[in-house]
Amino acid sequence: MHSDNFRKAAIMVLSLTTILIGGYELCLRYLGYTISFDDSESIFADKKRKIYLPIHEATVFTGSSRIKYDINTDVWRKLTGETPIQLANVGSSPIPVLKALAADSLFKGKLLIDVAEPLFFDMSGRSYERPQKFLDFCENETPAQRFSFHVNTFLESNFVMLDKDNFALSAMLDCLPIPPRPGKMDFPKYPTEFGTMNFDRNNMMTDRFVDGDKAGVKMMQDIWMQLAKMGAKAPPTPEHVIDSFIRDVKLHTDKIRARGGQVVFLRPPSSGPLWKGEQMGFPREKFWQKILAVTGCKGMHFADYPELSKMNCTEFSHLRQSDTRIYTQKVIEDLTAEMGWKFKASHQ
Amino acid sequence: MVFNSYTFIVFFAVVLFVYNLPLKWTFKKVHLLMASYLFYAVWNPPFILLLIFSTFLDFFVGKNLSIEQNPVKRKWWLAASLVGNLAPLAYFKYGEFMLDNFVALTSAAGIDFHPMAPDIILPVGISFYTFQTLSYSLDMYNRKYASEKSFLDFALFVTFFPQLVAGPIVRPDELIPQFKSPVKATWLQFNQGMFLLTLGLFMKVVLADSLLASSADDVFSAGKDMNALDAWMGVLAFSGQIFFDFGGYSTCAIGIALCLGFTIRDNFFYPYAAIGFSDFWRRWHITLSTWLRDYLYIPLGGNRKGIVRTYINVMLTMLIGGLWHGANWTFVVWGGLHGLYLAVEKYIQDKRKAHAHEPGPHPHLKPNFAHAMLTFFLVNITWVFFRAQDFTTAWSILKSMFFFGNPKEVVLNYLDILKVTVVITGMIIVHWQMRHKKVLTVAESKPWWSVGLVWTFLLVMLILSQESTSSFIYFQF
C-alpha cells in the first residue's frame, strides 16, 4: 500500500467514526436520554478535595444510595448558599468515609450521615469495599489522573453516550438475551434511567422511569426485596457486637465534634414492604435511637414527620425527583430550626 | 501517564505539534527529553530523581569504561554500574519480599522477629529502564561499541517516553543512532503509527480490560475450588488478558515512536502460535528474552560448557526471568516451569537429532496446529502461577482445571463464558494465520478501504468501551 492509500484509509476512519459515533449520540438524544456522569473514583476524589471548605460554606453527606438520591443538591445549593459535598456511595456503608473524615484533623465541617440500617450496620465488610477503594484512590491519585478527570468531565458534560453503566460496550453486552447460569446469582442490569447522576454525584430517577417504566420499577422493587430477604436470612447480630459497633461510631463522631465540626444522622424514607421489613429487622429502639443516645448526635428520622412519612418511594427505596425537592427543603428547615445548624444563606 | 488516558491524548498532541515545528534538531531532542520526564513525573514526581540518577551513573560509567585499560579498574566501574542500578531495584522491588523471607527463616529457626511492615512504593517501570541502562554499561564493558559522547542522546535513550515504563527494552545501538540526525515521520509512517496506536489501544482497552479482565479477576479471587469450566475460562481469560495488555502496550509504543519517525523493534510476534517453548520465547516479550539470553545465559556459559551446564544455565536464566517479573515465589515457579519446559524440549530435540543419524525411517515431526495447541495448553498452566496471588490459590485453580475441584461451584455467568470463548478463539485463529506475517505488511497488501473499515471498527469499539486510565499489568514489574 502506498502512502496515499494509507492516507485515504485514515480519512475514511475519521469520516466513518465521526458519522457512527455522532449517529449514536444523536440517536440517544432523540430517545430522550440526558447527560449522566459516571460515578467513578475520580469524581469522588474531586468532591472529597472540597471537604476543607469553612464550616459555613459546605456540608458533607455520606451514606448509601438513599442520601445520594434523596438530597437534591440543586435545592441544597439554592436554599443554603453552600456547596453540597456528596461522599455517599451506592450499596455502601458510611463508616469508611466517616472514619476517614474523623482521622483527618483538617476536616471541621458539617456532616450529614445517612442511616440505611441494612448497610449502616453491615459488619461483613462487603459494603465497605467501594468507599474504601474510592478513599484509597484519593490518597494515590496522580497528577495525570487528575488531568484526565478534567478532560473527561468536559466530554461527559457534552456527550450522552459517555455513560459507562448504560451505553458502553460492556453495558450493551449485558443486555444480550442470555439466560442466567444455574448456580450463579446475578442481579439484572439496572434500568437506564433509574440512576442518572449529575456532577454533584446526586443520583436521580427520571420521571419517565418512575411514571412510565412499570417493568423497570417492578424490577427494582424485586431487587430490593431480594436483598432484604438475603439480609433477613443472616443470623442476627448479637447485641454486644452492635453496642461495640456504635461505640466505634461515637469515637469517630466525637473526633469531628471536638474539632468544632457538626454531625447529624439522617434516616431517609423507604416505603412498602421494604420499610416494613426494615422496621422488623432493625427496630428503632435497638438501632436508630441507640445511635443517637450513644453518640450524643442529633438525628432526623422521616417517620417522625407526618409530611415525610406520607412520601411514597415508588420502587420502595428512593424518592422521585419532585419529592426530593420537598424532602431536601424539609431537611434544611429542620437542621436550622431543630439542630442548630447555620447555613451561609441564613447569614446573609 | 498511561497511553489509555485523556491526559496522554492531550500530551501526545502537544508533543507532536512542537516536534513538527521548524526547529533545530537539538531543540527537538531537548523537547522530547523534557516531554519524557513529564510523562514519567505525572505519575509520581519524586521518582524522576531515580531515573536521572540512573542516566548520569551509566553515562559516566560508560565513558570511563571506554577509556580505562586496566582490567581491574574496568571491573570496578562495571561493579559501580551494577550496584548503582540493581540496588534501587532490589530495595524498591524486592525489599518487602526479602524481609518477608528473612522473617520466615528466623521464625523457622525459632526466633520471634516482627519488624515494622515497610511501606515501599514501586517506581513504575524500574525493571525496564534498569535493564535498558545496564545493557549500555555491559556493552561498554565488553567493548561492543564506542561510548556515547552526547549526554542528551544518551538521556533520551534512557527516557524516551514511548517505551520508558514497560518496554520494549531497547538496546543502545538500536535507538541512539536514530538520534544522530534529524528525524521526521513521513505521512506513511505517521498513518501507520496511528494505526498501530489504535490497534494497541484496542487490544488493551477493548479486549483485555473490557472483555477479559473481569472473568480472570473473578476466578482468581474466588478463593475456593470450582467447576473445571470456570477454572479453565478464568485461566484462558488471563492468558488473553496478559497478551492483549502487554502486547497492546508494546504495539502502542511502537506506533507512537513511528508517529515521531523512530523505529522500535517488535516485542511480540503472535506468541500463542508458538510451536514449542524456544519458539514461544522468540515470540513472547522478545526484548526481555533476548536481553536475558545476551546478558545472562551466554555469560553463564550458554550451551558451550556441556549438556548439564546448559540445562543449569537455562533453568537459572528462567528462574531469574521469573523473579524479574515480581517479588513473589509464584513468579519464580512460573519461570522454573518455563525453564523445565525448555530443558525437556531441548532433551527431546537432542534425542531426535541423535536418532536422525541412525539408519532407517524417521518420523518427521512437522510443525502443526496440534503442537501449537499443546504449547498453548502448557503455557496456560504456567499462567496460573503468574496470576495467582499465592500458592493456595494456584493449587486450587490447578485442581479445579483437572476436575478435582468442586463441580457445583460456578463463578462465571454464561455471558462471561461467551466473551472468553469468542475472544480466545479469535485470538488463536489470528495468531495461527499471522504466525509468519507482520501486521503492517498485511495492511499494506490490502485495498485502502478494507484497512479503513478494520481501522474504523477498532476505533469505534475503543470509543464505545469507555474503559480508560486503568494501568497496564506490566507497569508493576
Side-chain angles (χ1 to χ4, degrees), chain B residues 351-394:
Chain B
K351 280 275 174 206
R352 194 168 291 139
K353 272 183 201 164
H355 285 299
H357 298 294
E358 291 171 5
H362 305 289
H364 185 61
L365 198 66
K366 238 185 170 179
N368 62 27
F369 187 67
H371 290 132
M373 286 301 92
L374 177 65
T375 309
F376 182 58
F377 167 79
L378 291 169
V379 166
N380 272 289
I381 305 293
T382 69
W383 287 136
V384 175
F385 291 96
F386 194 94
R387 175 62 177 79
Q389 53 273 40
D390 50 48
F391 286 110
T392 312
T393 307

Short mmCIF file of all heavy atoms in Angstrom, two decimals, chain B residues 351-394:
data_model
loop_
_atom_site.label_atom_id
_atom_site.label_comp_id
_atom_site.label_asym_id
_atom_site.label_seq_id
_atom_site.Cartn_x
_atom_site.Cartn_y
_atom_site.Cartn_z
N LYS B 351 17.70 -35.79 21.44
CA LYS B 351 17.47 -37.23 21.19
C LYS B 351 17.10 -37.44 19.72
O LYS B 351 17.58 -38.36 19.07
CB LYS B 351 16.31 -37.74 22.07
CG LYS B 351 16.73 -38.03 23.50
CD LYS B 351 17.32 -39.42 23.61
CE LYS B 351 17.87 -39.64 25.02
NZ LYS B 351 18.93 -40.64 25.03
N ARG B 352 16.22 -36.57 19.24
CA ARG B 352 15.75 -36.71 17.87
C ARG B 352 16.90 -36.52 16.88
O ARG B 352 17.02 -37.24 15.89
CB ARG B 352 14.63 -35.71 17.60
CG ARG B 352 13.87 -36.00 16.33
CD ARG B 352 12.62 -35.19 16.23
NE ARG B 352 11.62 -35.60 17.20
CZ ARG B 352 10.86 -34.77 17.90
NH1 ARG B 352 11.02 -33.49 17.77
NH2 ARG B 352 9.97 -35.23 18.73
N LYS B 353 17.76 -35.53 17.19
CA LYS B 353 18.92 -35.28 16.33
C LYS B 353 19.83 -36.51 16.31
O LYS B 353 20.35 -36.91 15.27
CB LYS B 353 19.71 -34.07 16.83
CG LYS B 353 19.21 -32.75 16.27
CD LYS B 353 20.08 -31.63 16.77
CE LYS B 353 19.36 -30.31 16.67
NZ LYS B 353 19.98 -29.27 17.46
N ALA B 354 20.01 -37.11 17.50
CA ALA B 354 20.87 -38.28 17.60
C ALA B 354 20.31 -39.43 16.76
O ALA B 354 21.03 -40.11 16.05
CB ALA B 354 21.00 -38.70 19.06
N HIS B 355 18.98 -39.62 16.84
CA HIS B 355 18.35 -40.70 16.07
C HIS B 355 18.39 -40.43 14.57
O HIS B 355 18.34 -41.35 13.77
CB HIS B 355 16.89 -40.89 16.52
CG HIS B 355 16.81 -41.58 17.85
ND1 HIS B 355 17.29 -42.83 18.05
CD2 HIS B 355 16.31 -41.18 19.03
CE1 HIS B 355 17.10 -43.19 19.32
NE2 HIS B 355 16.51 -42.18 19.94
N ALA B 356 18.46 -39.14 14.23
CA ALA B 356 18.46 -38.79 12.80
C ALA B 356 19.67 -39.37 12.08
O ALA B 356 19.63 -39.58 10.88
CB ALA B 356 18.44 -37.27 12.65
N HIS B 357 20.77 -39.62 12.85
CA HIS B 357 21.97 -40.18 12.23
C HIS B 357 21.91 -41.70 12.08
O HIS B 357 22.74 -42.30 11.42
CB HIS B 357 23.21 -39.79 13.04
CG HIS B 357 23.39 -38.30 13.09
ND1 HIS B 357 23.67 -37.56 11.97
CD2 HIS B 357 23.28 -37.42 14.11
CE1 HIS B 357 23.76 -36.28 12.30
NE2 HIS B 357 23.51 -36.17 13.60
N GLU B 358 20.91 -42.31 12.76
CA GLU B 358 20.80 -43.77 12.65
C GLU B 358 20.11 -44.12 11.34
O GLU B 358 19.25 -43.37 10.86
CB GLU B 358 19.96 -44.31 13.82
CG GLU B 358 20.68 -44.18 15.16
CD GLU B 358 19.77 -44.52 16.33
OE1 GLU B 358 18.63 -44.94 16.09
OE2 GLU B 358 20.23 -44.36 17.47
N PRO B 359 20.46 -45.31 10.77
CA PRO B 359 19.80 -45.70 9.52
C PRO B 359 18.34 -46.06 9.77
O PRO B 359 17.95 -46.35 10.89
CB PRO B 359 20.60 -46.92 9.06
CG PRO B 359 21.27 -47.45 10.29
CD PRO B 359 21.47 -46.29 11.22
N GLY B 360 17.54 -46.04 8.71
CA GLY B 360 16.13 -46.43 8.85
C GLY B 360 15.21 -45.22 8.77
O GLY B 360 15.66 -44.09 8.82
N PRO B 361 13.89 -45.48 8.66
CA PRO B 361 12.94 -44.37 8.52
C PRO B 361 12.74 -43.63 9.84
O PRO B 361 12.76 -44.23 10.92
CB PRO B 361 11.65 -45.08 8.09
CG PRO B 361 11.79 -46.46 8.61
CD PRO B 361 13.24 -46.79 8.67
N HIS B 362 12.57 -42.31 9.76
CA HIS B 362 12.33 -41.50 10.97
C HIS B 362 11.03 -40.74 10.80
O HIS B 362 10.79 -40.17 9.73
CB HIS B 362 13.46 -40.49 11.17
CG HIS B 362 14.80 -41.14 11.20
ND1 HIS B 362 15.20 -41.91 12.24
CD2 HIS B 362 15.80 -41.15 10.30
CE1 HIS B 362 16.42 -42.36 11.99
NE2 HIS B 362 16.80 -41.92 10.81
N PRO B 363 10.26 -40.77 11.83
CA PRO B 363 9.04 -39.95 11.74
C PRO B 363 9.42 -38.47 11.72
O PRO B 363 10.03 -37.98 12.66
CB PRO B 363 8.27 -40.32 13.02
CG PRO B 363 9.30 -40.85 13.96
CD PRO B 363 10.45 -41.38 13.14
N HIS B 364 9.13 -37.81 10.65
CA HIS B 364 9.49 -36.39 10.54
C HIS B 364 8.43 -35.55 11.23
O HIS B 364 7.26 -35.60 10.90
CB HIS B 364 9.59 -36.01 9.06
CG HIS B 364 10.08 -34.60 8.88
ND1 HIS B 364 11.30 -34.21 9.33
CD2 HIS B 364 9.50 -33.54 8.31
CE1 HIS B 364 11.46 -32.92 9.04
NE2 HIS B 364 10.37 -32.48 8.43
N LEU B 365 8.87 -34.82 12.24
CA LEU B 365 7.92 -34.05 13.03
C LEU B 365 7.71 -32.68 12.37
O LEU B 365 8.54 -31.79 12.46
CB LEU B 365 8.44 -33.86 14.45
CG LEU B 365 7.41 -33.45 15.48
CD1 LEU B 365 6.39 -34.55 15.69
CD2 LEU B 365 8.10 -33.11 16.78
N LYS B 366 6.59 -32.56 11.70
CA LYS B 366 6.29 -31.30 11.02
C LYS B 366 5.52 -30.41 11.98
O LYS B 366 4.58 -30.87 12.62
CB LYS B 366 5.43 -31.60 9.79
CG LYS B 366 6.04 -31.13 8.51
CD LYS B 366 5.07 -31.37 7.39
CE LYS B 366 5.58 -30.66 6.14
NZ LYS B 366 4.70 -30.88 5.02
N PRO B 367 5.93 -29.13 12.08
CA PRO B 367 5.17 -28.25 12.96
C PRO B 367 3.72 -28.15 12.51
O PRO B 367 3.46 -27.95 11.33
CB PRO B 367 5.86 -26.89 12.79
CG PRO B 367 7.10 -27.14 12.05
CD PRO B 367 6.97 -28.44 11.35
N ASN B 368 2.81 -28.37 13.41
CA ASN B 368 1.41 -28.23 13.04
C ASN B 368 0.61 -27.61 14.17
O ASN B 368 1.13 -27.31 15.24
CB ASN B 368 0.82 -29.57 12.60
CG ASN B 368 0.86 -30.58 13.73
OD1 ASN B 368 0.85 -30.21 14.91
ND2 ASN B 368 0.92 -31.85 13.39
N PHE B 369 -0.67 -27.39 13.86
CA PHE B 369 -1.54 -26.69 14.79
C PHE B 369 -1.64 -27.41 16.14
O PHE B 369 -1.70 -26.77 17.20
CB PHE B 369 -2.92 -26.54 14.14
CG PHE B 369 -3.86 -25.69 14.91
CD1 PHE B 369 -3.63 -24.32 15.06
CD2 PHE B 369 -4.97 -26.25 15.53
CE1 PHE B 369 -4.50 -23.53 15.79
CE2 PHE B 369 -5.85 -25.46 16.27
CZ PHE B 369 -5.62 -24.10 16.40
N ALA B 370 -1.64 -28.76 16.09
CA ALA B 370 -1.76 -29.53 17.33
C ALA B 370 -0.57 -29.24 18.26
O ALA B 370 -0.73 -29.12 19.48
CB ALA B 370 -1.83 -31.02 17.01
N HIS B 371 0.62 -29.10 17.68
CA HIS B 371 1.79 -28.77 18.51
C HIS B 371 1.65 -27.38 19.12
O HIS B 371 2.02 -27.16 20.28
CB HIS B 371 3.07 -28.85 17.67
CG HIS B 371 3.43 -30.24 17.27
ND1 HIS B 371 3.76 -30.58 15.98
CD2 HIS B 371 3.49 -31.38 17.98
CE1 HIS B 371 4.02 -31.88 15.91
NE2 HIS B 371 3.86 -32.39 17.13
N ALA B 372 1.13 -26.47 18.31
CA ALA B 372 0.92 -25.11 18.83
C ALA B 372 -0.07 -25.14 19.98
O ALA B 372 0.13 -24.46 21.00
CB ALA B 372 0.41 -24.20 17.72
N MET B 373 -1.11 -25.95 19.86
CA MET B 373 -2.12 -26.03 20.92
C MET B 373 -1.58 -26.71 22.17
O MET B 373 -1.93 -26.35 23.30
CB MET B 373 -3.39 -26.76 20.41
CG MET B 373 -4.22 -25.94 19.46
SD MET B 373 -4.81 -24.36 20.16
CE MET B 373 -3.53 -23.24 19.69
N LEU B 374 -0.69 -27.68 21.97
CA LEU B 374 -0.04 -28.31 23.13
C LEU B 374 0.82 -27.28 23.87
O LEU B 374 0.79 -27.20 25.11
CB LEU B 374 0.81 -29.51 22.68
CG LEU B 374 1.60 -30.21 23.79
CD1 LEU B 374 0.65 -30.86 24.80
CD2 LEU B 374 2.55 -31.27 23.23
N THR B 375 1.54 -26.48 23.10
CA THR B 375 2.35 -25.43 23.71
C THR B 375 1.45 -24.45 24.46
O THR B 375 1.73 -24.08 25.61
CB THR B 375 3.15 -24.66 22.62
OG1 THR B 375 3.83 -25.62 21.81
CG2 THR B 375 4.14 -23.70 23.23
N PHE B 376 0.36 -24.06 23.82
CA PHE B 376 -0.58 -23.11 24.43
C PHE B 376 -1.15 -23.68 25.73
O PHE B 376 -1.26 -22.98 26.75
CB PHE B 376 -1.70 -22.81 23.43
CG PHE B 376 -2.71 -21.81 23.91
CD1 PHE B 376 -2.31 -20.53 24.30
CD2 PHE B 376 -4.06 -22.12 23.99
CE1 PHE B 376 -3.24 -19.59 24.75
CE2 PHE B 376 -4.99 -21.18 24.44
CZ PHE B 376 -4.58 -19.93 24.81
N PHE B 377 -1.47 -24.97 25.69
CA PHE B 377 -2.01 -25.64 26.89
C PHE B 377 -0.99 -25.57 28.03
O PHE B 377 -1.33 -25.19 29.16
CB PHE B 377 -2.32 -27.11 26.53
CG PHE B 377 -2.59 -27.99 27.72
CD1 PHE B 377 -3.83 -27.97 28.34
CD2 PHE B 377 -1.59 -28.83 28.21
CE1 PHE B 377 -4.07 -28.79 29.44
CE2 PHE B 377 -1.83 -29.65 29.31
CZ PHE B 377 -3.08 -29.62 29.93
N LEU B 378 0.26 -25.89 27.72
CA LEU B 378 1.28 -25.89 28.78
C LEU B 378 1.61 -24.47 29.26
O LEU B 378 1.88 -24.26 30.45
CB LEU B 378 2.55 -26.59 28.26
CG LEU B 378 2.39 -28.10 28.05
CD1 LEU B 378 3.59 -28.67 27.29
CD2 LEU B 378 2.20 -28.84 29.36
N VAL B 379 1.54 -23.51 28.35
CA VAL B 379 1.76 -22.11 28.75
C VAL B 379 0.66 -21.67 29.71
O VAL B 379 0.92 -20.97 30.70
CB VAL B 379 1.81 -21.20 27.50
CG1 VAL B 379 1.69 -19.73 27.89
CG2 VAL B 379 3.11 -21.41 26.73
N ASN B 380 -0.56 -22.14 29.45
CA ASN B 380 -1.67 -21.78 30.34
C ASN B 380 -1.45 -22.29 31.77
O ASN B 380 -1.86 -21.64 32.72
CB ASN B 380 -2.99 -22.31 29.78
CG ASN B 380 -3.62 -21.32 28.83
OD1 ASN B 380 -4.11 -20.28 29.25
ND2 ASN B 380 -3.57 -21.61 27.54
N ILE B 381 -0.82 -23.45 31.87
CA ILE B 381 -0.54 -23.98 33.22
C ILE B 381 0.40 -22.99 33.96
O ILE B 381 0.22 -22.72 35.14
CB ILE B 381 0.16 -25.37 33.12
CG1 ILE B 381 -0.69 -26.34 32.30
CG2 ILE B 381 0.48 -25.93 34.51
CD1 ILE B 381 -2.00 -26.73 32.89
N THR B 382 1.35 -22.45 33.22
CA THR B 382 2.30 -21.53 33.88
C THR B 382 1.61 -20.23 34.29
O THR B 382 1.96 -19.64 35.30
CB THR B 382 3.50 -21.20 32.97
OG1 THR B 382 3.06 -20.39 31.87
CG2 THR B 382 4.18 -22.43 32.44
N TRP B 383 0.63 -19.80 33.47
CA TRP B 383 -0.06 -18.54 33.81
C TRP B 383 -0.77 -18.63 35.15
O TRP B 383 -1.01 -17.61 35.80
CB TRP B 383 -1.06 -18.15 32.72
CG TRP B 383 -0.47 -17.64 31.44
CD1 TRP B 383 -0.84 -17.97 30.17
CD2 TRP B 383 0.59 -16.67 31.28
NE1 TRP B 383 -0.08 -17.29 29.25
CE2 TRP B 383 0.81 -16.48 29.90
CE3 TRP B 383 1.38 -15.96 32.18
CZ2 TRP B 383 1.78 -15.62 29.39
CZ3 TRP B 383 2.36 -15.10 31.68
CH2 TRP B 383 2.54 -14.94 30.31
N VAL B 384 -1.16 -19.84 35.56
CA VAL B 384 -1.83 -19.99 36.86
C VAL B 384 -0.92 -19.45 37.97
O VAL B 384 -1.37 -18.68 38.83
CB VAL B 384 -2.17 -21.48 37.13
CG1 VAL B 384 -2.74 -21.66 38.53
CG2 VAL B 384 -3.17 -21.99 36.09
N PHE B 385 0.35 -19.78 37.91
CA PHE B 385 1.29 -19.32 38.95
C PHE B 385 1.59 -17.83 38.78
O PHE B 385 1.84 -17.13 39.75
CB PHE B 385 2.59 -20.13 38.89
CG PHE B 385 2.39 -21.54 39.33
CD1 PHE B 385 2.17 -22.54 38.40
CD2 PHE B 385 2.36 -21.87 40.67
CE1 PHE B 385 1.95 -23.85 38.80
CE2 PHE B 385 2.15 -23.17 41.09
CZ PHE B 385 1.93 -24.17 40.14
N PHE B 386 1.59 -17.37 37.55
CA PHE B 386 1.88 -15.97 37.28
C PHE B 386 0.78 -15.08 37.85
O PHE B 386 1.05 -14.02 38.42
CB PHE B 386 1.98 -15.77 35.76
CG PHE B 386 2.60 -14.47 35.34
CD1 PHE B 386 3.95 -14.37 35.06
CD2 PHE B 386 1.82 -13.33 35.19
CE1 PHE B 386 4.52 -13.18 34.64
CE2 PHE B 386 2.37 -12.13 34.78
CZ PHE B 386 3.73 -12.05 34.50
N ARG B 387 -0.47 -15.51 37.71
CA ARG B 387 -1.60 -14.66 38.10
C ARG B 387 -2.02 -14.85 39.56
O ARG B 387 -2.48 -13.89 40.20
CB ARG B 387 -2.80 -14.96 37.17
CG ARG B 387 -4.09 -14.24 37.53
CD ARG B 387 -3.91 -12.74 37.44
NE ARG B 387 -5.15 -12.03 37.71
CZ ARG B 387 -5.65 -11.81 38.92
NH1 ARG B 387 -4.99 -12.23 40.00
NH2 ARG B 387 -6.79 -11.13 39.07
N ALA B 388 -1.85 -16.08 40.08
CA ALA B 388 -2.33 -16.35 41.44
C ALA B 388 -1.51 -15.54 42.46
O ALA B 388 -0.30 -15.43 42.32
CB ALA B 388 -2.23 -17.84 41.74
N GLN B 389 -2.22 -15.01 43.44
CA GLN B 389 -1.52 -14.19 44.43
C GLN B 389 -0.71 -15.03 45.41
O GLN B 389 0.18 -14.54 46.07
CB GLN B 389 -2.48 -13.25 45.18
CG GLN B 389 -3.69 -13.91 45.82
CD GLN B 389 -4.87 -14.03 44.86
OE1 GLN B 389 -4.72 -14.33 43.67
NE2 GLN B 389 -6.06 -13.83 45.38
N ASP B 390 -1.06 -16.33 45.51
CA ASP B 390 -0.31 -17.22 46.40
C ASP B 390 -0.46 -18.67 45.91
O ASP B 390 -1.23 -18.94 44.98
CB ASP B 390 -0.81 -17.09 47.86
CG ASP B 390 -2.32 -17.20 47.94
OD1 ASP B 390 -2.87 -18.15 47.33
OD2 ASP B 390 -2.97 -16.36 48.58
N PHE B 391 0.28 -19.56 46.56
CA PHE B 391 0.27 -20.95 46.10
C PHE B 391 -1.06 -21.65 46.41
O PHE B 391 -1.46 -22.57 45.71
CB PHE B 391 1.44 -21.72 46.73
CG PHE B 391 2.75 -21.36 46.09
CD1 PHE B 391 3.70 -20.64 46.79
CD2 PHE B 391 3.04 -21.71 44.78
CE1 PHE B 391 4.91 -20.28 46.21
CE2 PHE B 391 4.23 -21.36 44.18
CZ PHE B 391 5.16 -20.64 44.89
N THR B 392 -1.73 -21.22 47.46
CA THR B 392 -3.02 -21.83 47.79
C THR B 392 -4.00 -21.60 46.63
O THR B 392 -4.69 -22.53 46.19
CB THR B 392 -3.59 -21.20 49.08
OG1 THR B 392 -2.56 -21.17 50.05
CG2 THR B 392 -4.77 -21.96 49.61
N THR B 393 -4.02 -20.36 46.14
CA THR B 393 -4.92 -20.05 45.01
C THR B 393 -4.50 -20.84 43.77
O THR B 393 -5.34 -21.43 43.08
CB THR B 393 -4.85 -18.54 44.70
OG1 THR B 393 -5.11 -17.82 45.90
CG2 THR B 393 -5.85 -18.14 43.63
N ALA B 394 -3.19 -20.85 43.50
CA ALA B 394 -2.70 -21.56 42.31
C ALA B 394 -3.09 -23.04 42.37
O ALA B 394 -3.57 -23.61 41.38
CB ALA B 394 -1.18 -21.41 42.22
#
